[in-house]
């Protein structure tokens, strides 16, 4: 009479309950593993959060943040380097095992920290960082949250390698060689040396010196302490962690919409009239009444944010204006916090924009009246034509201090990071990297490179090519 045994019935009931609970629990377990990086010396795996941000149409960013977080697992063998990169997502790193030295750009300076087991560290979206193992013979494991609420919408996250070469491809590679030659003030050959060496993937083996960070301590005075850009205001701004609703777009839309108003008519001369609308209080703010943030022989630029003009805070919009002399360049840079809209007020020039994978997204000629759009995080530069100055003005989609990150010039991410890690990232000797990074004495706005005259080596190569073509 087992059937009627009440104990058996109870046991069955319990069993059923257990299964139900287990089934429910498995629905809460994230199982969509993705291998994002895999090299001989390391690996990154990501588990996507239960909902990707692109699905959260219309949801106020931040209101349901839990849905837009992915969980990343980073494994790095001893003596390995995670090549300098920035992401379209912010990270909170947690050191699960081993030790790691992390260098990253914080408020325009390079900061380095030695993390040990149990430490956590926040790396903001758009901030360039690298990681070096420092644990003796122990595999390093980091668990991190990948907060995609500021992402471009391509989960799990989009990385932009600053260091690199052939693999990973540095975003620098997306600019014309001649543009880089001007920005860095070195020959195109030297550029090719820097950008053609690394083949090891995003996580590479490094020498003991790099792993131990020896050079770092020795050369302390030489690096790190420099403001990257526009430290025109030493007052420490409290970072409001406001969430910004980002535009969603696809690569295709990007290509199609780069020039949103080519030949939009209207010469730059209208601008002053346009400004004098019937604006009531609060008082307007005049761009021309203020000293530029950056000014040298080759041009000037200034940006107005909510700290300068409070009303901007309400609409969360920033304003900037740039004037470049003939042939000059606003060096390759990145806006870590905002998309940028620009209007060419006068003159003409060229704009280059680079995809995250280090290929050219656009290289477009612009003239007065043209309107351009640059997505957040995308590297780009503006170059005035040699025939005359180019003036452009525009808006950024954030009223917070933008802190553009420059990728070339005397105050750039590269000058801040130059050292054994960056050399290892590019796969070249440190002296060679230093020569290239230091050749440019100007910051932010660079002169045209004087001689389109090729060097002897370049000439010889050209002649060889010509002969081959015949
Ligand atoms: C921009 O610079 C050019 C010379 O480089 C100058 O003639 C022009 O007036 C400047 N524009 C403004 C608005 O300052
Ligand atoms: C780089 O990314 C763009 C945009 O997604 C794509 O069109 C292009 O094919 C990619 N190039 C390479 C070499 O992967
Ligand atoms: C560019 O490099 C040359 C040396 O090769 C130097 O004389 C010149 O001052 C540099 N120009 C700038 C703007 O740094
Ligand atoms: C600084 C440091 O401890 N680096 C270590 C990275 O891993 C290698 C291999 O175990 C060690 O020899 C290094 O000391």
């Amino acid at each position: 009479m087992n059937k009627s045994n009440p104990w058996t019935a109870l046991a069955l009931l319990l069993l059923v309950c257990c299964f139900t609970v287990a089934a429910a629990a498995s629905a809460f377990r994230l199982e969509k593993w993705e291998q994002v990086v895999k090299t001989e010396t390391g690996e990154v795996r990501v588990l996507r959060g239960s909902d990707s941000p692109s699905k959260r149409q219309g949801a106020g960013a931040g209101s349901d943040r839990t849905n837009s977080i992915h969980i990343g697992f980073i494994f790095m063998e001893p003596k390995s380097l995670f090549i300098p990169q920035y992401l379209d997502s912010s990270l909170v790193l947690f050191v699960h095992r081993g030790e790691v030295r992390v260098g990253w750009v914080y408020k325009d300076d390079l900061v380095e920290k030695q993390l040990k087991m149990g430490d956590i560290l926040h790396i903001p979206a758009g901030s360039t960082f690298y990681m070096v193992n420092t644990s003796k013979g122990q595999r390093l494991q980091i668990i991190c949250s990948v907060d995609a609420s500021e992402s471009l919408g391509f989960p799990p996250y989009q990385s932009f390698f600053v260091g690199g070469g052939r693999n990973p491809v540095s975003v620098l590679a997306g600019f014309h060689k001649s543009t880089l030659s001007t920005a860095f003030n070195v020959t195109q050959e030297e550029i090719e040396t820097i950008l053609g060496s690394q083949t090891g993937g995003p996580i590479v083996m490094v020498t003991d010196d790099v792993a131990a960070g020896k050079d770092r301590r020795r050369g302390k005075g030489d690096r790190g302490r420099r403001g990257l850009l526009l430290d025109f205001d030493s007052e420490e701004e409290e970072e409001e962690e406001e969430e910004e609703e980002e535009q969603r777009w696809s690569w295709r839309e990007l290509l199609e919409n780069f020039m949103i108003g080519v030949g939009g008519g209207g010469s730059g001369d209208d601008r002053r009239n346009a400004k004098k609308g019937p604006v009531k209080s609060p008082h307007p703010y005049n761009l021309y009444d203020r000293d530029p943030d950056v000014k040298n022989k080759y041009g000037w630029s200034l940006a107005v944010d909510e700290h300068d003009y409070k009303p901007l805070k309400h609409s969360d919009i920033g304003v900037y204006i740039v004037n470049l002399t003939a042939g000059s360049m606003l060096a390759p840079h990145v806006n870590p916090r905002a998309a940028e809209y620009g209007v060419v007020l006068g003159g003409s020039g060229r704009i280059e924009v680079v995809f995250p994978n280090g290929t050219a997204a656009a290289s477009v000629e612009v003239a007065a009246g043209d309107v351009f759009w640059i997505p957040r995080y995308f590297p780009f530069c503006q170059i005035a034509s040699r025939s005359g100055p180019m003036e452009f003005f525009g808006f950024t989609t954030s009223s917070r201090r933008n802190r553009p990150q420059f990728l070339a010039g005397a105050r750039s991410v590269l000058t801040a990071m130059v050292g054994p890690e960056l050399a290892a990232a590019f796969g070249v000797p440190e002296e060679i990297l230093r020569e290239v990074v230091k050749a440019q004495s100007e910051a932010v706005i660079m002169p045209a490179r004087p001689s389109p005259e090729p060097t002897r080596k370049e000439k010889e190569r050209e002649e060889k090519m010509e002969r081959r073509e015949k």
Side-chain angles (χ1 to χ4, degrees):
M1 302 299 115
N2 274 349
K3 256 187 206 163
S4 61
N5 186 332
W7 292 112
T8 311
L10 189 60
L12 266 175
L13 192 68
L14 273 174
L15 213 60
V16 169
C17 283
C18 284
F19 273 123
T20 316
V21 170
S26 78
F28 291 99
R29 199 162 67 207
L30 302 177
E31 283 168 334
K32 282 181 274 175
W33 281 104
E34 277 168 78
Q35 191 175 57
V36 181
V37 170
K38 172 75 182 157
T39 74
E40 276 174 23
T41 44
E43 185 182 355
V44 178
R45 277 186 283 156
V46 176
L47 263 176
R48 281 215 203 157
S50 56
D51 196 7
S52 67
S54 47
K55 285 188 205 152
R56 298 182 302 127
Q57 288 296 347
S63 60
D64 59 347
R65 235 164 188 271
T66 43
N67 281 348
S68 59
I69 285 183
H70 312 303
I71 308 298
F73 292 77
I74 304 169
F75 304 92
M76 288 168 67
E77 296 295 338
K79 283 204 289 183
S80 62
L81 163 76
F82 208 141
I83 288 183
Q85 63 179 319
Y86 63 92
L87 308 182
D88 67 347
S89 306
S90 59
L91 300 180
V92 176
L93 306 175
F94 165 71
V95 181
H96 178 46
R97 251 184 248 126
E99 294 190 0
V100 62
R101 199 171 73 242
V102 182
W104 80 105
V105 174
Y106 176 75
K107 291 194 175 169
D108 299 348
D109 274 328
L110 175 70
V111 184
E112 250 196 348
K113 292 279 188 254
Q114 180 81 32
L115 306 187
K116 56 184 189 311
M117 254 172 75
D119 284 343
I120 63 171
L121 180 73
H122 176 249
I123 308 272
S127 167
T128 304
F129 70 99
Y130 59 76
M131 299 193 274
V132 187
N133 105 290
T134 49
S135 61
K136 297 215 165 46
Q138 197 177 25
R139 218 176 176 221
L140 170 66
Q141 187 183 340
I142 291 173
I143 304 176
C144 61
S145 69
V146 181
D147 179 355
S149 61
E150 296 175 273
S151 83
L152 290 166
F154 295 88
Y157 65 85
Q158 181 67 61
S159 52
F160 299 70
F161 287 97
V162 173
R166 293 178 200 283
N167 178 23
V169 179
S170 163
V171 287
L172 286 169
F175 293 99
H176 283 182
K177 291 289 179 291
S178 61
T179 301
L180 292 176
S181 162
T182 303
F184 284 96
N185 189 29
V186 297
T187 63
Q188 297 195 21
E189 252 168 12
E190 285 172 283
I191 293 291
E192 275 159 27
T193 307
I194 299 291
L195 292 181
S197 302
Q198 182 59 264
T199 55
I203 302 175
V204 296
M205 221 56 191
V206 291
T207 60
D208 286 329
D209 277 1
V210 179
K214 276 181 195 146
D215 240 51
R216 172 59 42 80
R217 267 160 246 140
R218 202 179 58 220
K220 189 70 190 169
D222 196 22
R223 43 179 307 193
R225 280 307 316 150
R226 224 166 333 213
L228 287 182
L229 174 73
L230 315 183
D231 243 349
F232 38 87
D233 188 347
S234 58
E235 150 225 341
E236 283 299 277
E237 135 205 24
E238 266 318 302
E239 311 269 327
E240 311 99 297
E241 289 302 320
E242 308 158 23
E243 292 302 324
E244 288 156 67
E245 186 62 2
E246 278 305 306
Q247 299 193 46
R248 314 249 176 258
W249 48 272
S250 70
W251 298 117
R252 181 152 297 284
E253 275 162 6
L254 167 70
L255 285 170
E256 282 167 0
N257 296 338
F258 238 26
M259 301 291 301
I260 56 181
V262 182
S267 83
D269 297 333
D270 295 340
R271 65 175 181 260
R272 274 166 241 257
N273 298 333
K275 263 254 133 187
K276 281 190 192 137
V279 183
K280 297 209 180 96
S281 58
H283 292 297
Y285 185 98
N286 189 288
L287 293 182
Y288 295 105
D289 282 352
R290 207 186 87 190
D291 286 335
D293 303 323
V294 175
K295 186 173 166 58
N296 62 20
K297 275 190 285 185
Y298 315 106
W300 55 264
S301 85
L302 73 81
V304 181
D305 59 36
E306 66 194 30
H307 301 274
D308 307 304
Y309 186 49
K310 285 236 160 58
L312 291 175
K313 187 168 185 159
H314 300 305
S315 50
D316 203 13
I317 291 284
V319 177
Y320 69 91
I321 183 161
V322 178
N323 192 357
L324 302 174
T325 62
S328 298
M329 166 196 293
L330 187 59
H333 63 289
V334 170
N335 288 326
R337 288 184 174 174
E340 172 172 326
Y341 292 79
V343 183
V344 182
L345 298 176
S348 62
R350 188 158 48 88
I351 296 176
E352 288 182 26
V353 190
V354 173
F355 278 131
N357 61 10
T359 59
S363 172
V364 285
E365 306 291 330
V366 291
D370 285 346
V371 179
F372 56 88
W373 170 63
I374 313 288
R376 184 177 179 178
Y377 305 117
F378 274 50
F380 67 108
C381 71
Q382 295 97 336
I383 307 155
S385 66
R386 287 182 185 254
S387 59
M390 173 161 85
E391 196 185 347
F392 56 95
F393 154 92
F395 300 100
T396 51
T397 58
S398 164
S399 64
R400 293 185 299 161
R401 190 145 296 161
N402 182 33
R403 297 185 190 278
Q405 302 286 301
F406 281 79
L407 298 172
R411 276 178 291 157
S412 66
V413 174
L414 296 197
T415 46
M417 279 198 169
V418 72
E421 298 84 10
L422 196 63
F426 281 110
V428 296
E430 196 180 331
E431 309 84 75
I432 291 186
L433 178 72
R434 276 185 189 276
E435 267 170 34
V436 170
V437 170
K438 296 243 161 111
Q440 179 58 266
S441 60
E442 294 294 341
V444 183
I445 301 175
M446 277 61 166
R449 241 173 107 71
S451 64
E453 225 175 88
T455 64
R456 208 178 55 208
K457 264 189 190 163
E458 283 169 341
K459 254 187 212 157
E460 279 171 8
R461 206 194 306 150
E462 252 169 46
E463 280 163 17
K464 236 191 245 167
M465 296 278 271
E466 274 170 23
R467 256 178 267 139
R468 223 180 282 160
E469 273 166 23
K470 284 170 194 167

